[in-house]
Amino acid sequence: MTSFFPSLNPTPAFPKHYGGPYPVGTVDIEIPVSELPSVARTPDPSITTVSFRIFYPCESPHSSPKPVYWIPDPQHGYVSAYARFLGASSRISQLIAYFPRLLYHITIPAVRNAKVLEAPSESKRWPVVVFSHGLGGSRNAYSHLLGSLSSYGVVAIAPEHREGSAPISYIRQGNGSEPVHIDYRSIPHTPSKEVEEARDEQLKIRLWELGLIHEALLMIDKGTRLTNIASEISSKKTEVQNELLTFSALLDVHRPGNISWAGHSFGAATVYQFVKSVFYRPSDQVLQNSGGYRLLYVPLDDSPIRSQITPQSTVALLDLWSLPLRSAATNWLWRKPLPCYHESGGRGGSNVLVILSEAFFKWRGNLISTKQAVSADPSDDHRHDPGKSHPHIFYPVKTAHVSQSDFGILFPWATKKFMKAEEPERTLMLNVLAIRELMQQNGKDVASVSDVDRNAVLETVQGTSNGHTISNTVHEKLVHTNGSLHHIKQPLKADLDILSPQSPIRGWIPVNVDVEDQPGEATNKKTGSDADPSEAVMESEIMNSNEDHENKSHSTLK
């Protein structure tokens, strides 16, 4: 227990402001499934609501708004669940839950239930991205990444999946009855038939939830009145109606291919499987005749999601965890490329972004699978098709798996000591600006990079000469040359150009798309595609580091 508490000090907190030009609002949403059109076969009737948080550009508040707490209600239940998830015993987890000064008062720097700002674009609608969380995540666990995206003019949707991947999740009824809680479901991380079946069952629920959220967004934009149970519990009924109606006619969710899809770890696998499941939708009979494969998600014939997923759909994958995609039952889908490569209008991988942590870059088995997943032919190990545009693949140096979530920025002392991860704010900023540029390059109306974020990423050093302010014009960048890493000096450009392999950004390394060795890959001892993916979940990364630290401490005491 004593080894756990240092990771909570100093008191966790987010930066006070996001980097983009817009103030950010947020609203918590939980809608009864019964109020949404049926999009596919229901995988679990006990899941009676769909839950997500929205981050969005908002009008500046005229008064001090109520705080938005990172740990949602009931806070004691969530903190206890996180403690159990991190490996603490039931007794210790209860004790941890009674330290509110450390966790209960962490606030998200967004304005609660603020009015949506009118979009400055010709369409008067904001671009939308749906972001799926990984194991141990929740609708709040990527708040700084998504809030920062919203400060650049993006409406970001953060689902909370109810299939046992969150430390705990609550299904509320809205009628005064006690909420039903779903605990974390512990599934081994090594491949087996049982693990494949269990992950397939989780994906069934996750894909179904994404389909429901898409329907909810369409209805919200049309001004349809929906029940928001999350607000009914804490707000007046008039406020509840206004929270959802404020988004009416402001979301760019109707044009085919215009919604962006993103996720982290298991969430990246989720959106990857979702866009392919919708785009390639053979009948059950076809699959039965081709080897007994099965479908995890089949949208109904009249579901609008069928026209939303196109070869132009933008996809951002953060630390893609490939194991859930390699199930024997869904191997038929694995062999098909992302829609961007389809002959019906795909231009190649220019609308696909992969951002790896350094830990995932060095995990060779998963790296090879990731490169295959975003190639023009995932079933083949050959080099990338030179006739197609390449997907964007990068990794920031000295980063861990949790660096792409709120945990890296809230607990920097722990991630540096136990995971050797550094510069958590800069790491998240690199992720944000890369996704922003991906959306911009693919026709989304987003704001230009702010001077604050540009200077922080490029680390522009200012000085004076003859009374005039000047900036340095040369930047050092770490690059792969002649089989090793070297520092080279490059001139700074006016544009950030973060998706260019020649981008002048320190520690932002482009990754070769070919399925072959690259300097740095061979440093990882895991060489098989079936290596134990313990890095793929926050719990293993944190607790393995804690155990190593404890073992060293014990040996020192001896």
Side-chain angles (χ1 to χ4, degrees), residues 3 73 83 90 157 169 192 252 270 273 284 316 320 351 361 402 409 441 448 451 459 469 503 549:
S3 67
D73 288 328
S90 178
I157 314 298
S169 189
S192 70
D252 196 353
T270 299
Q273 202 78 329
D284 287 308
L320 173 66
N351 55 342
F361 171 71
V402 298
I409 207 166
Q441 289 186 2
S448 299
D451 288 340
E459 297 170 325
T469 300
S503 178
H549 176 67

Side-chain angles (χ1 to χ4, degrees), residues 189-192 322-323 363 365-366 369 526-533:
H189 305 139
T190 49
S192 70
S322 63
L323 182 141
W363 177 11
N366 194 79
S369 291
K526 296 183 178 67
T527 57
S529 60
D530 59 347
D532 181 3

Side-chain angles (χ1 to χ4, degrees), residues 96-110:
I96 291 173
Y98 283 101
F99 286 85
R101 66 183 180 87
L102 293 175
L103 295 175
Y104 287 7
H105 298 295
I106 299 173
T107 57
I108 297 172

Side-chain angles (χ1 to χ4, degrees), residues 286-437:
V286 169
L287 288 183
Q288 289 173 3
N289 293 337
S290 61
Y293 299 137
R294 58 175 175 162
L295 299 164
L296 300 183
Y297 179 71
V298 185
L300 300 178
D301 290 341
D302 58 351
S303 174
I305 192 63
R306 286 189 173 236
S307 61
Q308 176 56 231
I309 302 299
T310 73
Q312 287 70 50
S313 296
T314 304
V315 179
L317 307 171
L318 312 186
D319 269 358
L320 173 66
W321 182 30
S322 63
L323 182 141
L325 305 175
R326 305 305 301 267
S327 165
T330 60
N331 189 50
W332 68 275
L333 190 57
W334 168 260
R335 297 201 306 263
K336 295 182 179 296
L338 283 166
C340 62
Y341 295 106
H342 196 264
E343 58 188 13
S344 63
R347 297 171 297 174
S350 59
N351 55 342
V352 177
L353 169 66
V354 177
I355 307 178
L356 306 166
S357 63
E358 186 168 11
F360 265 49
F361 171 71
K362 291 183 176 180
W363 177 11
R364 177 159 171 72
N366 194 79
L367 177 61
I368 291 174
S369 291
T370 296
K371 290 182 177 184
Q372 289 177 310
V374 297
S375 72
D377 186 1
S379 66
D380 198 346
D381 292 344
H382 60 61
R383 291 173 179 265
H384 190 88
D385 184 354
K388 297 283 188 179
S389 62
H390 291 181
H392 311 281
I393 310 179
F394 293 87
Y395 79 90
V397 300
K398 297 182 180 179
T399 51
H401 189 52
V402 298
S403 298
Q404 294 167 316
S405 72
D406 286 350
F407 294 92
I409 207 166
L410 287 176
F411 309 111
W413 184 91
T415 54
K416 182 175 182 178
K417 184 175 181 63
F418 298 131
M419 306 173 202
K420 311 303 181 187
E422 299 183 2
E423 301 181 291
E425 287 186 44
R426 185 173 184 272
T427 297
L428 270 183
M429 194 184 306
L430 288 169
N431 280 262
V432 169
L433 297 183
I435 297 172
R436 187 213 71 86
E437 187 158 322

